[in-house]
Amino acid sequence: MQSVGVGLALGGGGARGFSHIHALYAFEDIGVRPVLLSGTSIGAMVAVFYAAGYGAKEIEAFCSRLVKERYKILTKFLSSDYVSSAHEEEDEEFRFAEINIEKLISVILPDDFPTTFEELNLPVRLVVTDYYQQIQHVFSQGDLVPALAASCAVPGLFKPVKINGHVYVDGTAVNPVPFDVISGDVDILVGVNITGTSKGDVGVRPSKVDVLTSLSHIMQQSIICAKADMHKPDVLVRADVKGIKIYEFTKIQGILEQSVLLRETLRQELVESIAMFNKG
């Protein structure tokens, strides 16, 4: 069925990112492979695995295994002899409860996983936030792990990543679904939005905690809408996942069950978009 160049942008949202697996299944269902990928945060992680040659089923199995073996991975993380990136200058300041995300990713990735963008089977653009310049930066070449770590560096949970003198944090702050960074380079533009929603009943005053949690979702959704006005995707789908916090990775099965309709929805919209493109 492949007759057009389809670009796929995978958004950030922590554990809800397991929903992206259904998006990959949708592509495989109709025999279409993206020619260009972009990703933010957990979306960056999934995009990189797919670009490295892992199919949807393999990624699902890999994620399930990580969750099941999380204590073994934690032990390996704590005992590993980690050599920091040549790009990174270590701070003398001790930061309590901040995990070195670059080290964690290095422990998680398979031993034979590509180490540079150039070794991937498909081109990928990863979005990060330049903390001091307050702008987005896009990595698409060079060392893979530092760029991937920077895109996933959720503030307060993971230590910011230093690359070439710049301090980077999670890309979701500036671009929750980075379809705009591949717009114009593909025939059909697809975005997968996994931002959370405001929970509760309409008209019922939310709790202070719920307001604080949902505020970031509202801001992210505003960014997505603003970018869509300038770079309208041909397909933009949103995973229907409720009641899942960004760090609840152990709930992978529940997340996959909640978001199963994403596969069918994306498959149908993608088929329609390709048919319209081919008609001219």
Side-chain angles (χ1 to χ4, degrees):
M1 186 176 182
Q2 188 90 38
S3 59
V4 296
V6 183
L8 175 61
L10 301 177
R16 292 187 297 273
F18 290 134
S19 305
H20 287 317
I21 294 171
H22 289 306
L24 301 181
Y25 273 123
F27 272 81
E28 294 176 359
D29 286 344
I30 60 175
V32 172
R33 186 171 175 80
V35 297
L36 178 60
L37 295 138
S38 64
T40 292
S41 198
I42 188 67
M45 181 73 75
V46 176
V48 164
F49 265 84
Y50 194 71
Y54 286 68
K57 188 174 183 178
E58 292 173 296
I59 294 174
E60 181 179 354
F62 179 81
C63 291
S64 297
R65 187 168 66 252
L66 284 183
V67 171
K68 185 179 295 186
E69 298 178 354
R70 58 189 180 278
Y71 297 116
K72 183 188 298 185
I73 292 169
L74 177 61
T75 300
K76 183 179 179 181
F77 172 78
L78 294 174
S79 62
S80 66
D81 293 325
Y82 173 73
V83 179
S84 64
S85 165
H87 300 287
E88 182 181 3
E89 298 174 9
E90 289 295 332
D91 296 325
E92 293 182 1
E93 176 189 1
F94 174 74
R95 303 186 178 195
F96 179 73
E98 256 189 343
I99 300 169
N100 186 322
I101 181 64
E102 191 173 347
K103 175 183 175 181
L104 180 60
I105 289 176
S106 296
V107 168
I108 288 174
L109 292 181
D111 293 336
D112 59 349
F113 202 82
T115 59
T116 66
F117 282 88
E118 289 76 13
E119 294 174 70
L120 296 171
N121 298 334
L122 295 169
V124 177
R125 298 173 187 174
L126 305 185
V127 171
V128 302
T129 300
D130 187 313
Y131 179 78
Y132 287 107
Q133 292 192 2
Q134 299 183 338
I135 58 174
Q136 83 170 9
H137 180 81
V138 180
F139 285 102
S140 60
Q141 58 186 4
D143 292 338
L144 184 59
V145 171
L148 183 56
S151 188
C152 298
V154 178
L157 179 60
F158 297 117
K159 180 179 178 182
V161 177
K162 225 184 246 189
I163 304 174
N164 294 330
H166 289 259
V167 176
Y168 297 111
V169 294
D170 187 88
T172 308
V174 289
N175 203 338
V177 186
F179 48 78
D180 57 306
V181 304
I182 58 175
S183 177
D185 294 322
V186 293
D187 298 317
I188 293 176
L189 183 60
V190 178
V192 182
N193 179 6
I194 59 168
T195 59
T197 57
S198 300
K199 62 181 182 180
D201 296 324
V202 176
V204 176
R205 182 177 177 180
S207 69
K208 181 165 62 176
V209 173
D210 287 341
V211 169
L212 291 174
T213 301
S214 295
L215 187 60
S216 65
H217 300 158
I218 294 169
M219 291 189 291
Q220 289 167 22
Q221 192 59 29
S222 295
I223 293 173
I224 294 168
C225 290
K227 287 183 178 292
D229 286 339
M230 296 182 289
H231 307 274
K232 186 174 178 56
D234 298 283
V235 179
L236 180 58
V237 293
R238 189 173 188 178
D240 186 18
V241 177
K242 296 181 176 65
I244 298 293
K245 298 180 177 62
I246 64 169
Y247 55 82
E248 292 183 314
F249 290 94
T250 58
K251 296 184 178 180
I252 179 172
Q253 290 306 317
I255 295 168
L256 289 172
E257 289 170 7
Q258 279 198 57
S259 58
V260 69
L261 288 178
L262 176 66
R263 178 174 180 173
E264 181 180 351
T265 300
L266 178 53
R267 182 174 63 235
Q268 291 178 349
E269 293 195 24
L270 190 52
V271 168
E272 291 173 3
S273 293
I274 293 174
M276 289 179 61
F277 180 86
N278 288 332
K279 286 180 180 179

